Amino acid sequence: MRKLLVANRGEIAVRVLRAAREMGIRTVAVYSDADLHAPHALLADEAVYLGASEPLESYLRADKILDAARRTGADAIHPGYGFLAESADFAEACAEAGLPFVGPPATAMRRLGAKIAAKRLANDAGVPTVPGYFEPDASEEDLRRAAHRVGYPVLLKASAGGGGRGMRVVLSESEFGAQYRTATDEARNAFGDGAMMVEKLVERPHHVEVQILADTHGQVAALFERECSVQRRHQKLIEEAPSPLFANGARPEVWAAMREAAISLARAAGYVGAGTVEFIVEPTTDAFYFLEVNARLQVEHPVTEAITGVDLVQWQLRIARGERLSLAPPLMVGDRTAIRGHAIEARVVAEDPAQNFAPSTGRLVGWAEPTGPGIRVDTGYGPGVEVPRYYDSLLAKTIVHGESREAARVRLRQALADFHVLGVRTNIAFLRDLLEAPAFLAGSVDTGFVEREFDWEDTADHSAELGLIAGAAGNARPTTERTPHTRPAGPWESADGFRNVR
Ligand code: ADP
Ligand code: ADP
Ligand code: MG
């Protein structure tokens, strides 16, 4: 692997580009109209224009991406997350073009991509799933009968679903028909596939997921878990590692069984690369159930990197090159004494909590990131950059590492206080208040907590914040037009990406 094309944008493209550069691999970025001046396009050795800002015209165009790889002589493609990352067809097209896709083989993606197929594979591998009905081509009547059998409340889920879409809680039989229609319509519109499954609604669960790394030589390691129970509308807001459920050596048998389940499933699917096996846990009974596999790098992967010292993106690339997985022995066997401290991530998004989390777009006229010991900011934005309306709202991930959960929590609260963004509305004040919620302090937040109990009111003094960042507004980036280009290899190719500005 000498030249890597990163088929993505934003913070994850920047993250992958940096990892490749550290490994001496040359880099190619791709960009749309909206991202002409985006940091990811400036950071790479070369940048190839894809097309209009709409994802269907640019970041979702497999043909244009493969063509960009051919034109630049790239010999591998990293998909990031979102966009084409979980498209088995794209992974297959890359393989057919002789360009290794940095991710699992298309066969493994097909076994895990649809929730129905993944649940059946899990059942066959002896991995616990929530009681429910996971048959292909289920009719409304099949699902209604199954709902009656497992008992209300139940959750109807789109087999092709993601990001919490196509999912509906059904409290009683009388509302089954209406919720079934809403969920299938949403799934057809969002995923072009209305296939549904039903399962028992687990009351007040924790979301706990296991990070997997599998090489092409049959080795699979589980790099512990992440707790992602701080969610709003099934979207994660704050993630941490390790899970508070396993604090101070608690529930060792649950970790052992969950690790075992994640590894068996990865083996059953023929998994290769980095992946995440998601579970929900019922803390009252310690029962855990498999939800789905995210066959890609996960947004919240940095908290695992912080507590293990493992660079997951570099391992993705090394595995794609055929290297054997060689981590410290305690990491290979899931020995929890290998865990170093505690890490927490907060997703800073361009959404306005005071306006029911409406997306906020515009030019970032002021931008000041927190820095300091144990603080990492992953972002694809910066001063002067435009936040376009075409993509997801993630601005930056603030990740902190501390000796203990409490040290990390205090550090994150302070880091967020030092994060100033002017030009779009953000959820920073909301995140800071979440970190103060007694349930968060206790580590007892379940996935319904934010919507059920967290009553947020914006009490921050914005005038003070505006004053603080007024100075930062001066350093907005120049907006010289850059023509779409493919830069030939030259004497500056290994230098900082800023030399690419034209
Ligand atoms: P994670 O657990 O990594 O946060 P998410 O479900 O939040 O997983 O998705 C991560 C990224 O993938 C986000 O950018 C989101 O917009 C995108 N995404 C999730 N589901 C889909 C989907 N079905 N189709 C396209 N993009 C998706
Ligand atoms: P998606 O593809 O949208 O991420 P998941 O199946 O992973 O769908 O579920 C997303 C979230 O929905 C979980 O993190 C959890 O909060 C909630 N959830 C999923 N299944 C159940 C269930 N059976 N009972 C209770 N909550 C659930
Ligand atoms: Mg999920």
Side-chain angles (χ1 to χ4, degrees):
M1 192 185 294
R2 301 216 318 273
K3 201 188 237 192
L4 179 73
L5 183 144
V6 180
N8 214 300
R9 67 177 303 281
E11 66 89 15
I12 198 61
V14 170
R15 168 75 185 92
V16 176
L17 289 166
R18 289 217 169 102
R21 289 203 332 187
E22 279 182 31
M23 293 169 73
I25 298 168
R26 298 228 300 274
T27 53
V28 182
V30 290
Y31 64 96
S32 66
D33 282 335
D35 285 336
L36 187 62
H37 303 289
H40 81 274
L42 303 177
L43 187 70
D45 296 315
E46 297 169 60
V48 180
Y49 173 72
L50 289 178
S53 306
E54 292 77 10
L56 280 171
E57 293 303 324
S58 47
Y59 298 107
L60 285 171
R61 281 288 295 268
D63 56 338
K64 289 187 175 178
I65 289 166
L66 287 170
D67 189 53
R70 272 185 222 105
R71 275 162 47 208
T72 54
D75 53 15
I77 296 186
H78 194 301
Y81 57 71
F83 297 128
L84 295 168
E86 290 180 270
S87 163
D89 291 346
F90 181 62
E92 204 163 63
C94 290
E96 276 163 14
L99 292 162
F101 171 84
V102 182
T107 47
M109 288 165 86
R110 292 210 168 91
R111 285 182 194 131
L112 299 168
K115 287 192 185 16
I116 288 178
K119 298 257 180 182
R120 294 166 65 87
L121 188 71
N123 277 337
D124 293 347
V127 172
T129 56
V130 186
Y133 191 76
F134 320 116
E135 300 292 328
D137 308 314
S139 68
E140 180 178 343
E141 213 28 60
D142 294 333
L143 294 168
R144 190 193 293 267
R145 261 198 304 274
H148 184 78
R149 178 170 51 79
V150 301
Y152 287 90
V154 298
L155 194 58
L156 273 170
K157 276 190 197 180
S159 182
R165 281 188 298 176
M167 200 145 74
R168 281 290 179 284
V169 173
V170 191
L171 295 175
S172 68
E173 183 127 26
S174 62
E175 58 178 61
F176 188 91
Q179 297 291 26
Y180 176 81
R181 278 185 290 282
T182 321
T184 40
D185 283 353
E186 193 172 301
R188 267 196 213 99
N189 289 333
F191 315 111
D193 177 356
M196 283 287 151
M197 47 172 262
V198 71
E199 63 189 31
K200 180 120 188 89
L201 182 77
V202 177
E203 307 271 357
R204 305 203 172 190
H206 284 226
H207 174 115
V208 179
E209 57 185 35
V210 176
Q211 175 67 54
I212 289 291
L213 268 184
D215 67 15
T216 52
H217 307 276
Q219 298 185 95
V220 186
L223 290 179
F224 309 111
E225 75 289 342
R226 294 181 287 261
E227 162 116 19
C228 317
S229 298
V230 185
Q231 304 183 352
R232 191 182 154 271
R233 301 201 171 159
H234 307 297
Q235 301 270 11
K236 299 162 185 168
L237 293 169
I238 293 175
E239 301 105 330
E240 60 187 300
S243 164
L245 291 176
F246 301 148
N248 306 318
R251 301 178 169 88
E253 67 296 338
V254 179
W255 161 245
M258 196 179 271
R259 172 179 181 272
E260 186 68 38
I263 290 178
S264 335
L265 194 55
R267 288 197 191 283
Y271 202 86
V272 172
T276 296
V277 186
E278 295 190 332
F279 298 94
I280 42 178
V281 182
E282 221 169 23
T284 46
T285 61
D286 283 357
F288 68 87
Y289 307 99
F290 165 70
L291 281 186
E292 64 167 344
V293 174
N294 289 324
R296 54 170 162 85
L297 191 65
Q298 196 95 330
V299 174
E300 55 273 22
H301 74 275
V303 291
T304 298
E305 297 186 319
I307 62 155
T308 59
V310 171
D311 188 315
L312 289 168
V313 179
Q314 289 201 9
W315 268 109
Q316 284 189 296
L317 299 175
R318 292 169 71 171
I319 288 169
R321 291 202 295 215
E323 267 185 56
R324 291 183 76 87
L325 190 58
S326 60
L327 308 172
L331 292 177
M332 294 297 288
V333 299
D335 172 356
R336 299 187 71 85
T337 61
I339 296 175
R340 295 192 322 218
H342 196 96
I344 315 180
E345 166 182 290
R347 298 191 189 193
V348 173
V349 296
E351 292 177 14
D352 187 354
Q355 304 290 328
N356 200 26
F357 294 86
S360 175
T361 60
R363 188 179 159 85
L364 296 165
V365 291
W367 178 276
E369 288 172 18
T371 62
I375 299 176
R376 162 176 169 185
V377 176
D378 278 18
T379 183
Y381 290 97
V385 180
E386 190 83 22
V387 179
R389 64 187 167 88
Y390 303 97
Y391 313 114
D392 71 35
S393 60
L394 185 63
L395 283 179
K397 306 186 300 203
T398 306
I399 307 110
V400 300
H401 188 210
E403 278 180 17
S404 64
R405 183 172 190 266
E406 179 57 10
R409 186 188 71 87
V410 170
R411 182 163 276 170
L412 181 54
R413 195 188 53 188
Q414 191 54 44
L416 290 171
D418 291 340
F419 206 143
H420 301 290
V421 177
L422 186 60
V424 297
R425 305 291 305 184
T426 75
N427 66 338
I428 290 174
F430 182 86
L431 292 169
R432 289 189 63 201
D433 286 355
L434 262 175
L435 292 171
E436 299 296 336
F440 187 83
L441 264 71
S444 63
V445 166
D446 65 83
T447 59
F449 166 80
V450 173
E451 280 149 290
R452 193 180 60 235
E453 296 175 35
F454 188 64
D455 212 3
W456 188 71
E457 216 181 312
D458 189 1
T459 52
D461 180 359
H462 292 291
S463 60
E465 186 169 60
L466 290 177
L468 266 173
I469 46 185
N475 58 14
R477 184 195 293 272
T479 56
T480 28
E481 277 307 306
R482 209 164 52 109
T483 45
H485 69 284
T486 299
R487 234 173 52 95
W492 300 111
E493 67 196 0
S494 60
D496 283 340
F498 75 83
R499 294 187 198 280
N500 280 343
V501 182
R502 285 196 178 163

